Amino acid sequence: MSYREVQLANSKNRVLLTKPDQQWLKKSGYKNVGWDKVILLYQKIEELIQEQDYLNDLSLGELFLEADRIGNKYLTPEEIADNNQKLAEVNNRINEQIDQAFPDTEDEVIDFGNKAVHKYQTKPRNKKF
């Protein structure tokens, strides 16, 4: 692409970004003037668009896992273990409340003695010897 085509692509793609991303680009000194700066801006916009698409495709649970992964970078192993312990305790309390609110009233019976074996009957075929 020519210099002008890259500038035009930057202008069009920048509009696709969120306002905070656009402001971050401006604050970080990415400009659409000067060949080297235009190329850097083009690469950064492409990177942000791919990241935005990736995050939009994640489910809520996957977003929480991604946030946890990012947050764990800034914690010590002791803090991570402490947070996991607290999370397990809260999870157990929630499970207990669910069990109290929705008691299991049906008895479940599993019969391991009755094996359902399917036997296939085959008809003898005419074999030539």
Side-chain angles (χ1 to χ4, degrees):
M1 291 194 294
S2 71
Y3 175 77
R4 184 68 188 133
E5 290 172 335
V6 177
Q7 277 186 319
L8 186 60
N10 284 346
S11 297
K12 287 181 180 178
N13 290 337
R14 187 181 183 127
V15 175
L16 301 175
L17 297 174
T18 62
K19 289 291 180 191
D21 285 341
Q22 291 176 14
Q23 292 170 351
W24 180 85
L25 284 173
K26 186 175 184 178
K27 189 172 28 171
S28 299
Y30 288 95
K31 297 185 180 202
N32 209 13
V33 177
W35 187 241
D36 292 336
K37 291 183 180 183
V38 168
I39 291 172
L40 289 175
L41 178 62
Y42 180 82
Q43 292 171 342
K44 194 60 172 179
I45 288 174
E46 289 295 317
E47 181 183 320
L48 289 172
I49 288 174
Q50 288 176 355
E51 183 179 307
Q52 191 174 348
D53 290 343
Y54 169 72
L55 292 176
N56 287 339
D57 291 341
L58 293 179
S59 69
L60 183 60
E62 291 168 333
L63 280 173
F64 277 113
L65 291 174
E66 183 70 14
D68 190 47
R69 182 189 65 78
I70 292 170
N72 282 344
K73 286 189 210 177
Y74 304 102
L75 298 176
T76 64
E78 295 82 20
E79 290 172 325
I80 293 172
D82 186 45
N83 285 343
N84 288 340
Q85 178 65 31
K86 289 177 183 177
L87 184 62
E89 290 171 3
V90 169
N91 190 24
N92 287 336
R93 283 192 297 238
I94 291 171
N95 286 336
E96 289 172 6
Q97 290 177 356
I98 290 173
D99 288 341
Q100 289 174 359
F102 304 102
D104 195 11
T105 57
E106 293 182 19
D107 292 333
E108 185 174 336
V109 177
I110 301 174
D111 185 10
F112 291 104
N114 185 9
K115 293 183 181 179
V117 178
H118 299 291
K119 294 184 179 179
Y120 297 100
Q121 293 182 353
T122 57
K123 295 180 182 177
R125 295 184 180 183
N126 292 338
K127 293 184 179 179
K128 294 182 181 177
F129 295 99

